[in-house]
Amino acid sequence: MQRIKHTHLLILGLVLMSGCTWLTQRMTITQCNFTWEDLQHKGSSLMESRFQISLRAQNPNPNDAVLDRIVYTFYADDLELIQGTTQGTVSVPAGQSAPIEIELTVKHLKALKAIQKIKSGKVKQYRLTARVFMSSPFGELSYDIDLWRESAGH
């Protein structure tokens, strides 16, 4: 009987340790640093413009970090262009960095004033506000980031 209790305790301990490792990996993303590396206009049509934002997540932690998704809002000066969500996960190895590419399609009718400002070269800065999401056994964990980038003409 005593041997069965010890076996159960050993199994429970192993399960808890593996769960803690998984949770530690998920939680380290809160300590990653994000930088905005590039903003590219990928093309326009009569109805929409396409952009690509290149971010870099730097993980200074001793564990890999796993990012589930980013829910973002993209601005030209103070004018909102689009809201969206990235698809897929990004793993950032311990002590390293990883690129994150965000593809944006801005509908001209929804963001007409901002698109006119961009095309006329009057935008001073771009802004990306976002919430970073991770999953855990205790539910979804998240935190906010706020990144700015000056326009190429300023």
Side-chain angles (χ1 to χ4, degrees):
M1 184 70 153
Q2 193 70 353
R3 180 177 262 173
I4 293 174
K5 282 185 181 181
H6 288 304
T7 304
H8 284 127
L9 287 175
L10 178 63
I11 292 171
L12 178 62
L14 291 173
V15 168
L16 287 175
M17 284 178 21
S18 66
C20 289
T21 300
W22 182 84
L23 182 59
T24 300
Q25 285 182 319
R26 292 286 176 163
M27 291 300 296
T28 56
I29 195 73
T30 61
Q31 297 175 10
C32 285
N33 301 309
F34 291 85
T35 55
W36 189 339
E37 292 193 328
D38 197 18
L39 170 65
Q40 294 180 354
H41 178 245
K42 292 296 203 174
S44 294
S45 68
L46 184 60
M47 302 301 290
E48 63 189 27
S49 292
R50 293 179 319 283
F51 299 91
Q52 179 176 320
I53 295 175
S54 299
L55 304 178
R56 180 154 297 276
Q58 176 68 39
N59 182 6
N61 301 292
N63 301 309
D64 290 354
V66 180
L67 167 66
D68 291 326
R69 73 183 187 283
I70 299 174
V71 176
Y72 59 84
T73 304
F74 179 55
Y75 299 88
D77 288 332
D78 60 343
L79 302 171
E80 182 180 312
L81 286 166
I82 190 170
Q83 294 180 355
T85 303
T86 60
Q87 302 297 316
T89 61
V90 174
S91 181
V92 185
Q96 297 181 30
S97 65
I100 300 171
E101 304 294 333
I102 300 176
E103 302 286 333
L104 308 171
T105 301
V106 178
K107 304 293 182 191
H108 290 169
L109 291 177
K110 288 186 176 181
L112 188 58
K113 189 174 180 181
I115 295 294
Q116 289 172 337
K117 198 171 181 180
I118 291 169
K119 288 189 180 236
S120 67
K122 294 182 180 176
V123 173
K124 294 178 184 168
Q125 61 189 359
Y126 294 96
R127 181 179 180 198
L128 184 75
T129 61
R131 178 158 283 201
V132 178
F133 286 89
M134 296 87 40
S135 297
S136 81
F138 308 110
E140 197 162 61
L141 306 171
S142 66
Y143 69 100
D144 296 326
I145 60 173
D146 194 1
L147 303 171
W148 297 82
R149 184 175 183 87
E150 285 192 27
S151 173
H154 288 71

